[in-house]
Amino acid sequence: LHRGLIGRAEVDALFTAPAEVQALLDVEAALARAQAAVGLIPPAAIAPIAAAADAGLYDLVALAAGTADAGIPTVPLVKALTARVAAADPAAARWVHFGATTQDIVDTALVLRLRCLLDLLDADLAALAAACAALARRHAATPMAGRTWLQQALPITFGLKAAGWLDAVDRAQGRLHACRADVLVLQMGGAAGTLASLDGRGRAVAAALARDLGLGLPPIAWHAHRDRPAALACALGLLVGTLGKLARDVALMAQTETGSAAPGKGASSTMPHKRNPVGCAVILAAATRAPGLVATMLAAMPQEHERGLGGWHAEWDALPELATLTGGALRHAVTLIAGLEVDPGRMRATLEATGGQLMAESLMMALAPALGRLAAKDLVERACRRAAAERRALGEIAAREPAIAAALDPAALARALDPAQYLGEAEAIVADVLAAHERAREAPCPS
Amino acid sequence: LHRGLIGRAEVDALFTAPAEVQALLDVEAALARAQAAVGLIPPAAIAPIAAAADAGLYDLVALAAGTADAGIPTVPLVKALTARVAAADPAAARWVHFGATTQDIVDTALVLRLRCLLDLLDADLAALAAACAALARRHAATPMAGRTWLQQALPITFGLKAAGWLDAVDRAQGRLHACRADVLVLQMGGAAGTLASLDGRGRAVAAALARDLGLGLPPIAWHAHRDRPAALACALGLLVGTLGKLARDVALMAQTETGSAAPGKGASSTMPHKRNPVGCAVILAAATRAPGLVATMLAAMPQEHERGLGGWHAEWDALPELATLTGGALRHAVTLIAGLEVDPGRMRATLEATGGQLMAESLMMALAPALGRLAAKDLVERACRRAAAERRALGEIAAREPAIAAALDPAALARALDPAQYLGEAEAIVADVLAAHERAREAPCPS
Amino acid sequence: LHRGLIGRAEVDALFTAPAEVQALLDVEAALARAQAAVGLIPPAAIAPIAAAADAGLYDLVALAAGTADAGIPTVPLVKALTARVAAADPAAARWVHFGATTQDIVDTALVLRLRCLLDLLDADLAALAAACAALARRHAATPMAGRTWLQQALPITFGLKAAGWLDAVDRAQGRLHACRADVLVLQMGGAAGTLASLDGRGRAVAAALARDLGLGLPPIAWHAHRDRPAALACALGLLVGTLGKLARDVALMAQTETGSAAPGKGASSTMPHKRNPVGCAVILAAATRAPGLVATMLAAMPQEHERGLGGWHAEWDALPELATLTGGALRHAVTLIAGLEVDPGRMRATLEATGGQLMAESLMMALAPALGRLAAKDLVERACRRAAAERRALGEIAAREPAIAAALDPAALARALDPAQYLGEAEAIVADVLAAHERAREAPCPS
Amino acid sequence: LHRGLIGRAEVDALFTAPAEVQALLDVEAALARAQAAVGLIPPAAIAPIAAAADAGLYDLVALAAGTADAGIPTVPLVKALTARVAAADPAAARWVHFGATTQDIVDTALVLRLRCLLDLLDADLAALAAACAALARRHAATPMAGRTWLQQALPITFGLKAAGWLDAVDRAQGRLHACRADVLVLQMGGAAGTLASLDGRGRAVAAALARDLGLGLPPIAWHAHRDRPAALACALGLLVGTLGKLARDVALMAQTETGSAAPGKGASSTMPHKRNPVGCAVILAAATRAPGLVATMLAAMPQEHERGLGGWHAEWDALPELATLTGGALRHAVTLIAGLEVDPGRMRATLEATGGQLMAESLMMALAPALGRLAAKDLVERACRRAAAERRALGEIAAREPAIAAALDPAALARALDPAQYLGEAEAIVADVLAAHERAREAPCPS
């Protein structure tokens, strides 16, 4: 019922039964072309196999039943494909799935869909980075409270926070670019990796097939070496973790009491005034679930011998589930950040919440040249405690403290307590991040 | 495509959209009955609400779209239910979902389905235990090689191995019984746990509702305290781990070289002679995936305040997915163990594989009374090394070793090297386990 | 450097090398007693073995080196123990570790320390529950904002929140009680589970040894069936998850802007005004780490044959690490809750933060009898939106809305908007939880 | 007791208290140099700070106690360092830890040690790859049984298996190279990322510090963006997964019944004949534990605001523990593969285990040109079943089957059933992998 909430339609579609069957058939058709290209099978077999390689022609319920029976989808599918080809051209039917092993087809069909996944995510990542960059640029100098340990710590600018998001999103995109070479490769080894059933032309077939499908050509089959899909899982997990950090920040900023930034819509069945941050919830749920799925992919790696028992099956749902979560979380993140309602007034207002204590480090640093860091720290700590105990503003206490008054005249004290004067190099850092982002954007996504 | 392979139909059915909607509607109808019972709403509202509480009346596609929009399935469902009740009886429509919060309905509807899940698993566990018990009984004295570190270690009986399975399966069943009291409880607190919208009769409504649904009544809502579903997840994870151990044992016994027990059917697309242990693969895949899902349920526990943000959403798919895996793994385990083809001849044959070295401990223990444990161990180790180096049987070497010959006459030596004479208390242990199993069977499953 | 921050000294001590060696020696000594009791070894062997069973007598560095060499700590330890016994009484040395396998000793020695762990945790859990109960009792009627999705939702009382903690802590304690029977059992099977090396008296020895050590006696060895330690891991993981929920609540309440409850001490190297909630951080860190450790214990379950390869080793650090985390998180939780500085004034103040919107449900419920739930909800939602847009209080808007004025006179409206009038059954629920807690306290911890 | 078994001394040493303290002090000293270089502090402060930056000068027990108190190691350490500098040069003491935040120091000190870790792993990976390459080269044509689903499937060569290992090890090394740019970077932001306490020269200090330490310079602090260490964790997890696959293969090959390759030493306390594959156990234990640790690093990512609460603490032990496991598993893998005792005779012998059924695909492919793939498959399947039922060799059955005899003359049939004639392109694939390995070796590790 909630799949539409959790996922992203275009990503989810990649992992439906029709899409899976079509991808399997695409590989079978390409295999025939590649085998004909190297002279292993007659060119006349290409067309009948291609004609039958249409998922719409097959009964998915029967294929599912056959899969439950055989343990692998290719077993019933190859049977059905062969029958259909045979009906049109009995001679061509001999060459269906010729010399291939089920895992060659299943893995390569998965890789084809992972390529679509990576393309979809890449577009959304660009949109998310653009939304972060826009916030960073617009709010480079908008002061707000910086928070550590969930406590107000120092003033920052909202643009600095957005620049932190941007830099992390760019890194996540870079990692997805980098793992394409690892993941977008052909699987082709025959039953035990020797290509024995291809009459000495197996490596030539593999090269032709990789070319036909636009995939990389590894020197050896990776049937039981699963670091390739697991590396993709890691890259997705890292991306989701980064999105979780964004959503955490927004959810905390959107709290009733801090409410300096609010996500778009949301609803509640009983509380009319509430706008639940649904997008944040979906993203944080994904960030809670992704680690377990990445762990599953890693745990499945020690597969037995030439092709394993159970480990490969463990990947079948874990990777699509992770892809679904990633797609959905990224979609929500784009909406969230692009639609974020920033309230600079509330941001400024919360800077007052501590009665000036937020400026304690600033005051300490202003005192340090005269008193030394540790002495300054002790002095300011004492003033802070007194301010808290007497529920008065830090400035008030500080002005009456002789040691402070001796070191700072009233104007210097006021300056030391003004948040807008203690933003450090926030604007310059934002500019640096934006410049790095522009450079990163110029590097194209590897095909 | 492979859901039929991985899951169990009756379990999977519990977590489909129609089943979810029906369970939500069942709770809404029961809520109306309970509220009428305590006089909060007019009894006349019961029938119209009950009449509309039929999942077949609703457009699942529209509900899914509404869920994607609102973030929770109850928002669109309550709207649709109210409209339908209003069409039949406008007065009754006022009392639909009265004073309830979405999570009360969603969690209680989940609990109703978890009860079905536990009942289904309980039946399968009984069948699995019975199959293990039958093997333990039949093969209590069937000798085979015991293996540690994947090396032959000592002779055991196959019944002892099956008794180990049985004992673990009984423990898993006991844990599922024990967690029913934890998990099969009502969720009822209103929007923030105070039952404020129920006009002072909230606890009375909760009691009536728990009675109506046959669920336990906790003293306080558990909206953001998620140990209950997480505890169920743990019990399922432990069960799947135990099934994984069974499947690992069978898969290893079914290896071509050891082949002393074979699962039923299996298929291969290219290798006609192979019978792939598909059931083992599915179970081991579940055992690879379950830990990540349990971890997700645990990681989702620190939910914020009265109702959290993201943690609850993380459970929505993790628990059903775990239920599906458990249901499927258990179904395959029943088939696997009930249909196991045991080959006592092959078992006996592999006992010869080490040229008697398997009997090294037996020989050492036979020598220990005369020579002391450590001296005996050194002596036998030396003999073992010599036997391995010269590729001769241990018995042959031992017979010519003066220190051994001095301690054991030929008959005693032969006895010390006969696997059937060194089965220890295997049969008595099997009997103990079977007796404990009979006692466990007499304890009924708590309702 | 930070172990003292993360753990709890008494728990950590259980998993040091000296404690491990002592526990191993305790089992060896008890084994000799048990074997003498059933007449398997001479009673005279007891004293020399017992005398040598003192960890202080052994060179831990040499034992560590021997462990690295042999792969198991018992191999070098048994050698050293035998040598020491032999030096005192050569005849007794024959009976050291007689007929036992390494894993029998290692697992039983672990169980002895797990019993200490459970006792330590039980005492802390009682203290934590008492601290929660005290807060629940004292603040049963202290109003504060209830929050869902990190948004203010409805007024609750702080006592209700503390009662939720209490109920969850009691459940966690109950689970630890329940798993004692599972976990606190003897391991005794000999090399492959047949007790073959004990001359037909293995089961008698096991019974005597279990009695001697005060442990349960299972009908069969559980060398490769690891659900027992994994079940303990689950119970610890559930406890840590519950502690994480408490810490999350406190950390959020302690935020600068909401600051209605503050943990004790904390420090910051540069910001003198800050009191970092260190205890919350340690607990939340534990809640982040525990799921991965539980997953490891579950993932290690499918161990091979009679004793596995790698799975058992995976438990060696995972379970102690989890125990350490749990001990530390629980210690911090006791300090945190027992020392919590509650600020009812700030709690009341944050109830004003929404300009009355927090009372939207209350207003809706007040209108529902006259208008029906859905119509009331629409009306209140509209008023809320108007109040937000015009930045005015909800009460102001509501008073001027004709449909509301028609349904509620000014006194009824004021009542509908007063948080203290909309606490539902919070106090009664707190009383129910406290009563359940008293009943739970009367049930003694099983030995 | 078993740390020496599990880890690798040089790696473990990086994460001890003395190494941590030294790294923290190294950063403090470098910070002073960098700040002097940009004119922020007097050059005279450098020497006294550098002189005090020696871990040997500090009381680790007191630092641990201070860490337990403050929640972060830098708090007591900076205090102690300042005191020591002050004792030698009071003026210099003012400039200790000037304007830095604890996390800047702690993270950068971690990065320095991660660089050592990556260097150590890189050397071991090169050794492991060399050992795999040697086996691949030597045994490129050594026939053995290829196994899928733990069943014999087709003949392969042992060199092909080793080439698969090699290719995966090279990929793992490549991933560690690639993540250096991500991970080996400076952390420098001050308390909330603005560098506010560095008087406008923060970015200049950061640049000088990065240069001084030989680290990358990111445009913005990554205090609460933890994808960098999490990405390293992923790369380590992928490496351990690959090592787990190697160890699984060796452990299965070393089984008593298949025993075609044996690891070096191992011991057993009671069974003198056994050589337990201890290295395999340690590696597989690491592969069982690593996924949970990677998941922890990912789960810790959504950290709050400028610096989080708990998430960062969760990394403190998870990453070192993962490093330890990786270091140990890699060390054992080098020993295991470099010392592997390969037995080509046993390999050839197990090729006979199926009575020729292993050659079923070969026979099918030989028949396919004449009969078509599906018809050939049916025919061979029937022959296989008959051979199994009658316990005769497949060749015997096949020779008497008219359809087979018609398609293949006796010489062709014999050839179709000879494992050495059905190794496909194994040798060429091995050569391809070795060539790719040579190319990879030429790419230097990025500094």
Side-chain angles (χ1 to χ4, degrees), chain D residues 72-99:
Chain D
I72 323 183
T74 34
V75 172
L77 181 59
V78 168
K79 202 165 288 184
L81 171 62
T82 307
R84 184 163 287 273
V85 173
D89 180 345
R94 288 194 186 177
W95 308 109
V96 169
H97 189 70
F98 185 71

Side-chain angles (χ1 to χ4, degrees), chain C residues 35-325:
Chain C
Q35 291 179 330
V38 305
L40 191 67
I41 72 170
I46 293 177
I49 294 175
D54 175 349
L57 300 172
Y58 297 89
D59 175 353
L60 293 179
V61 173
L63 289 178
T67 302
D69 199 56
I72 323 181
T74 34
V75 172
L77 181 59
V78 168
K79 203 166 287 184
L81 171 62
T82 306
R84 184 163 287 275
V85 173
D89 180 344
R94 288 193 187 178
W95 308 108
V96 168
H97 189 70
F98 185 71
T101 200
T102 58
Q103 195 173 345
D104 289 337
I105 307 300
V106 172
D107 277 344
T108 301
L110 174 66
V111 167
L112 292 178
R113 289 173 291 149
L114 294 179
R115 182 166 56 190
C116 299
L117 169 71
L118 287 172
D119 291 344
L120 285 164
L121 296 180
D122 197 56
D124 278 358
L125 276 164
L128 178 58
C132 291
L135 288 177
R137 203 173 291 115
R138 191 173 330 127
H139 294 287
T142 305
M144 73 179 295
R147 293 173 179 95
T148 64
W149 300 75
L150 283 179
Q151 304 290 306
Q152 286 199 8
L154 282 186
I156 62 168
T157 72
F158 178 57
L160 184 75
K161 189 186 282 273
W165 298 343
L166 171 59
D167 205 44
V169 168
D170 278 345
R171 284 198 295 278
Q173 191 172 24
R175 276 186 209 104
L176 286 180
H177 287 179
C179 83
R180 292 176 82 104
D182 238 11
V183 176
L184 301 184
V185 299
L186 184 72
Q187 177 69 283
M188 186 78 198
T194 60
L195 295 164
S197 55
L198 292 171
D199 203 20
R201 274 169 293 180
R203 283 153 68 243
V205 167
L209 183 54
R211 246 190 332 270
D212 184 286
L213 295 170
L215 297 177
L217 176 66
I220 189 167
W222 44 281
H223 290 142
H225 287 279
R226 309 304 294 181
D227 55 295
R228 297 178 189 275
L232 173 61
C234 287
L236 296 178
L238 289 164
L239 165 55
V240 174
T242 284
L243 300 177
K245 195 275 182 278
L246 269 67
R248 180 83 76 200
D249 280 358
V250 173
L252 290 170
M253 284 194 290
Q255 287 174 103
T256 306
E257 292 87 352
T258 47
S260 42
K265 60 167 188 158
S268 162
S269 70
T270 61
M271 287 164 289
H273 69 290
K274 282 185 66 189
R275 295 204 315 181
N276 291 333
V278 171
C280 290
V282 173
I283 297 169
L284 285 167
T288 305
R289 293 177 60 200
L293 292 166
V294 173
T296 297
M297 292 296 291
L298 293 171
M301 285 183 68
Q303 297 187 9
E304 296 88 355
H305 293 311
E306 279 55 68
R307 292 195 283 126
L309 179 99
W312 186 47
H313 287 77
E315 300 174 10
W316 288 5
D317 288 305
L319 192 55
E321 194 66 24
L322 182 55
T324 291
L325 289 181

Side-chain angles (χ1 to χ4, degrees), chain B residues 357 383-392:
Chain B
Q357 299 229 8
C384 283
R385 272 196 301 274
R386 226 181 109 200
E390 304 180 12
R391 299 193 178 242
R392 286 193 291 166

Side-chain angles (χ1 to χ4, degrees), chain B residues 147-149 151-153 254-258 268-274 276 354 357 361 364 377 381, chain D residues 147-149 151-153 254-258 268-274 276 354 357 361 364 377 381:
Chain B
R147 294 173 179 96
T148 65
W149 300 75
Q151 304 289 307
Q152 287 199 7
Q255 287 174 104
T256 307
E257 292 87 353
T258 46
S268 162
S269 71
T270 61
M271 288 162 290
H273 70 290
K274 281 185 65 190
N276 291 334
T354 59
Q357 299 229 8
E361 186 193 83
M364 185 180 80
K377 191 183 169 195
E381 271 181 3
Chain D
R147 295 174 179 94
T148 65
W149 300 74
Q151 305 288 307
Q152 287 199 7
Q255 288 174 103
T256 307
E257 292 87 351
T258 45
S268 161
S269 72
T270 60
M271 288 162 289
H273 70 289
K274 281 186 67 191
N276 292 333
T354 58
Q357 300 228 7
E361 186 192 82
M364 185 179 81
K377 190 182 170 196
E381 272 182 3

Side-chain angles (χ1 to χ4, degrees), chain B residues 91-429:
Chain B
R94 288 192 186 179
W95 308 109
V96 169
H97 189 71
F98 185 70
T101 200
T102 56
Q103 195 174 346
D104 289 338
I105 306 300
V106 172
D107 276 345
T108 302
L110 174 66
V111 167
L112 292 178
R113 288 172 292 149
L114 294 179
R115 182 166 54 191
C116 298
L117 169 72
L118 288 172
D119 291 343
L120 285 165
L121 296 180
D122 197 56
D124 278 357
L125 276 164
L128 177 59
C132 291
L135 288 176
R137 204 172 292 116
R138 191 171 331 128
H139 294 287
T142 305
M144 73 179 295
R147 294 173 179 96
T148 65
W149 300 75
L150 283 180
Q151 304 289 307
Q152 287 199 7
L154 283 186
I156 62 169
T157 71
F158 178 58
L160 184 74
K161 190 185 282 273
W165 298 343
L166 171 60
D167 204 43
V169 168
D170 278 345
R171 285 197 296 279
Q173 190 171 24
R175 277 186 209 106
L176 286 180
H177 287 179
C179 82
R180 293 177 79 105
D182 240 12
V183 178
L184 300 184
V185 299
L186 184 72
Q187 177 69 284
M188 185 80 198
T194 60
L195 295 164
S197 54
L198 292 172
D199 203 21
R201 274 170 292 181
R203 284 152 67 245
V205 167
L209 183 54
R211 243 188 336 267
D212 184 286
L213 295 170
L215 297 177
L217 176 67
I220 188 167
W222 44 280
H223 290 141
H225 287 280
R226 308 306 293 181
D227 55 293
R228 297 178 190 276
L232 173 61
C234 287
L236 296 178
L238 289 164
L239 165 55
V240 174
T242 285
L243 300 178
K245 194 274 183 278
L246 269 67
R248 181 84 76 201
D249 280 358
V250 172
L252 289 170
M253 284 195 289
Q255 287 174 104
T256 307
E257 292 87 353
T258 46
S260 43
K265 58 168 187 157
S268 162
S269 71
T270 61
M271 288 162 290
H273 70 290
K274 281 185 65 190
R275 294 204 316 182
N276 291 334
V278 171
C280 290
V282 172
I283 297 169
L284 285 166
T288 305
R289 294 176 60 199
L293 292 166
V294 173
T296 297
M297 293 296 292
L298 293 171
M301 284 183 69
Q303 298 187 9
E304 296 88 355
H305 293 313
E306 280 53 71
R307 291 194 283 125
L309 180 97
W312 186 46
H313 287 78
E315 300 174 10
W316 288 5
D317 287 307
L319 192 55
E321 193 67 24
L322 183 55
T324 291
L325 288 182
T326 309
L330 186 49
R331 169 176 69 89
H332 279 286
V334 172
T335 306
L336 185 70
I337 302 300
L340 200 68
E341 300 172 9
V342 181
D343 186 338
R346 285 290 301 268
M347 287 179 176
R348 222 168 300 119
T350 59
L351 281 166
E352 311 300 328
T354 59
Q357 299 229 8
L358 181 69
M359 299 307 295
E361 186 193 83
S362 170
L363 180 57
M364 185 180 80
M365 296 307 294
L367 294 168
L371 308 174
R373 215 181 60 81
L374 277 191
K377 191 183 169 195
D378 284 347
L379 196 60
V380 175
E381 271 181 3
R382 209 164 51 232
C384 283
R385 272 196 301 274
R386 226 181 109 200
E390 304 180 12
R391 299 193 178 242
R392 286 193 291 166
L394 177 60
E396 214 180 316
I397 301 291
R400 293 196 220 145
E401 170 69 50
I404 294 176
L408 299 174
D409 64 29
L413 179 60
R415 202 186 132 84
L417 291 169
D418 176 4
Q421 298 300 324
Y422 200 64
L423 294 170
E425 299 171 52
E427 283 190 70
I429 294 171

Side-chain angles (χ1 to χ4, degrees), chain D residues 266-338:
Chain D
S268 161
S269 72
T270 60
M271 288 162 289
H273 70 289
K274 281 186 67 191
R275 294 204 315 181
N276 292 333
V278 171
C280 290
V282 172
I283 298 169
L284 285 166
T288 305
R289 294 176 60 199
L293 293 165
V294 173
T296 297
M297 293 296 292
L298 293 172
M301 284 183 69
Q303 297 187 9
E304 296 89 355
H305 293 312
E306 279 55 70
R307 290 194 283 126
L309 179 98
W312 186 46
H313 287 77
E315 300 173 11
W316 287 6
D317 287 307
L319 192 56
E321 193 67 24
L322 182 55
T324 291
L325 289 182
T326 308
L330 186 50
R331 169 176 69 89
H332 279 286
V334 171
T335 306
L336 185 71
I337 301 299

Side-chain angles (χ1 to χ4, degrees), chain A residues 121-139 158-159 162-163 165-171 173 243 246 330 333-340 430 433-434 437-438 440-441:
Chain A
L121 296 180
D122 197 56
D124 277 358
L125 276 165
L128 177 58
C132 291
L135 288 176
R137 205 173 290 118
R138 192 173 328 129
H139 294 287
F158 178 58
W165 298 344
L166 170 60
D167 204 42
V169 168
D170 278 346
R171 283 198 296 278
Q173 190 171 24
L243 300 179
L246 270 66
L330 186 50
V334 172
T335 306
L336 186 70
I337 301 300
L340 200 69
V430 171
V433 170
L434 287 168
H437 170 63
E438 288 307 316
R441 276 181 60 200

